[in-house]
Amino acid sequence: MSFLTRRRFLAGSAGAAGATVLAGGAAVHLVQASAPMSGKQAPGFYRQKIGDFEMTIVTDGSRTFPMPDGFVKNVSKDKAIAAAEAAYMPMGQITVPFNPVVINTGSKLVLIDAGNGANAGTAGKLMPNLAAAGIDPKAIDIVVISHMHPDHINGIKTPEGALAFPNAEIKVPAVDWAYWMDDAKMAKAPEGMTKNYFNAARKVFSDIAGKVTKYEWSKEVAPGITAINANGHTPGHTAFAVVSGSSKILVQSDVSNIPDLFLRNPDWHVMFDSDPVQAAKMRHKIYDMAAAEKMLVTGFHFPFPAVGHVEKDGSRYRLVPITWNGAI
């Protein structure tokens, strides 16, 4: 029996590439392919039927950045970094994806969350990916916002300040609107992230406030799409049940941020949660329901295509991604 040693593997690989390995491994000369490298990803969208509805997950890109101090408030940074590295994220860093959802009900074309907006570096890819998916922004009938954090609302406008979805009714949770548009609460907000969130909400909505519809929980925001109280991440944070016939999916929005950290560890407090204790309680409530009903779940910060099932794992949970299906 022969074993493939590292030296023999490297020599064989180099030979296959047209390279020369000198005796003793002193030098390796590689020959590049003649075709230029692309340097960019393919468009990102994924479709699935929900009964008679058609759902399209459209990636807005992702961001990878060094884990900030206090990213998880109630465990050590070393422990949080270890969890990220166990999920094969770059050492000392975290990767956060962004995934808006389009639901075609047959009567309405509904966008749930508008993403980061253009010119957002490795994020802000919603518009080109909508185009690749054959979805015209002018055809969107309703834009439903789950909560008023910048990565969900900035895409409502173009960089020039025009409405990105000019024919759409814009709907936001009434509780979140009351909170982020409250001058007294903004005045008391600490400098930094929270203050920036108040400013972002005002920048997006200040000149279109009269065009915004405030919705209530437990009511439909579009045919077959019902708003669910999922507060904690923000005061008005909302998830959605999308139901068509006997089929349904839970759009969990930001009940969990990065699932490898906060779905696996539902009692961890992420720095983005307005009320971390309530957010943790809501994670258990939502995921217990999803697991018991074996519901399909999609998450704004789940790895693309961001669809799967949630299973209980003791006091924790795990995400079981769907198998990519080439048919709709």
Side-chain angles (χ1 to χ4, degrees):
M1 181 180 294
S2 63
F3 293 88
L4 184 63
T5 66
R6 179 175 181 273
R7 178 174 295 180
R8 291 170 69 183
F9 175 78
L10 291 173
S13 299
T20 300
V21 179
L22 299 183
V28 177
H29 175 66
L30 297 178
V31 178
Q32 286 188 319
S34 59
M37 295 185 182
S38 172
K40 59 182 179 181
Q41 287 286 5
F45 62 92
Y46 183 77
R47 288 197 168 100
Q48 184 158 341
K49 293 288 286 185
I50 309 295
D52 292 330
F53 294 176
E54 185 178 82
M55 176 183 72
T56 307
I57 309 292
V58 185
T59 177
D60 191 45
S62 64
R63 289 199 181 101
T64 298
F65 51 92
M67 182 182 288
D69 293 339
F71 182 72
V72 184
K73 293 183 176 180
N74 60 337
V75 302
S76 70
K77 185 174 182 179
D78 287 344
K79 188 172 183 178
I81 286 176
E85 291 181 2
Y88 292 93
M89 296 182 196
M91 185 174 294
Q93 298 187 308
I94 48 175
T95 298
V96 181
F98 309 96
N99 298 290
V101 178
V102 178
I103 305 291
N104 189 336
T105 71
S107 62
K108 296 292 183 182
L109 192 60
V110 183
L111 172 66
I112 301 178
D113 289 324
N116 291 272
N119 302 328
T122 55
K125 308 302 182 187
L126 177 61
M127 284 305 192
N129 286 327
L130 280 174
I135 299 173
D136 185 347
K138 294 179 182 178
I140 299 291
D141 296 299
I142 304 172
V143 175
V144 181
I145 299 300
S146 65
H147 62 292
M148 291 168 61
H149 277 176
D151 55 328
H152 296 256
I153 64 174
N154 282 353
I156 288 173
K157 288 185 174 179
T158 69
E160 295 74 33
L163 287 173
F165 308 96
N167 300 316
E169 179 183 9
I170 299 172
K171 295 187 174 184
V172 305
V175 174
D176 240 32
W177 182 274
Y179 179 79
W180 294 108
M181 293 301 178
D182 187 312
D183 291 337
K185 287 185 173 61
M186 180 175 177
K188 294 178 181 177
E191 293 296 329
M193 183 179 67
T194 303
K195 182 77 79 175
N196 291 340
Y197 285 178
F198 277 99
N199 289 327
R202 287 146 193 268
K203 181 178 179 180
V204 171
F205 291 112
S206 59
D207 60 342
I208 60 169
K211 301 178 181 180
V212 175
T213 301
K214 291 83 173 178
Y215 66 80
E216 305 289 342
W217 290 321
S218 302
K219 296 182 179 179
E220 284 193 338
V221 294
I225 306 176
T226 301
I228 299 172
N229 177 358
N231 77 90
H233 180 58
T234 68
H237 179 254
T238 304
F240 304 92
V242 179
V243 180
S244 175
S246 61
S247 298
K248 58 185 174 182
I249 188 168
L250 174 67
V251 180
Q252 71 116 59
S253 306
D254 282 14
V255 171
S256 172
N257 192 275
I258 303 167
D260 284 307
L261 272 63
F262 301 102
L263 195 147
R264 293 296 294 151
N265 303 283
D267 295 310
W268 284 12
H269 296 171
V270 66
M271 66 189 301
F272 305 121
D273 288 342
S274 295
D275 185 339
V277 174
Q278 172 60 20
K281 290 179 181 178
M282 191 59 69
R283 277 191 282 278
H284 285 283
K285 179 180 179 180
I286 294 282
Y287 294 146
D288 283 348
M289 175 192 70
E293 297 187 19
K294 299 186 182 299
M295 295 178 68
L296 269 178
V297 179
T298 179
F300 191 78
H301 297 298
F302 285 7
F304 183 77
V307 184
H309 292 88
V310 172
E311 287 190 348
K312 281 187 71 70
D313 182 16
S315 62
R316 310 199 304 169
Y317 306 89
R318 70 186 188 100
L319 177 66
V320 183
I322 60 165
T323 299
W324 184 285
N325 193 336
I328 299 176

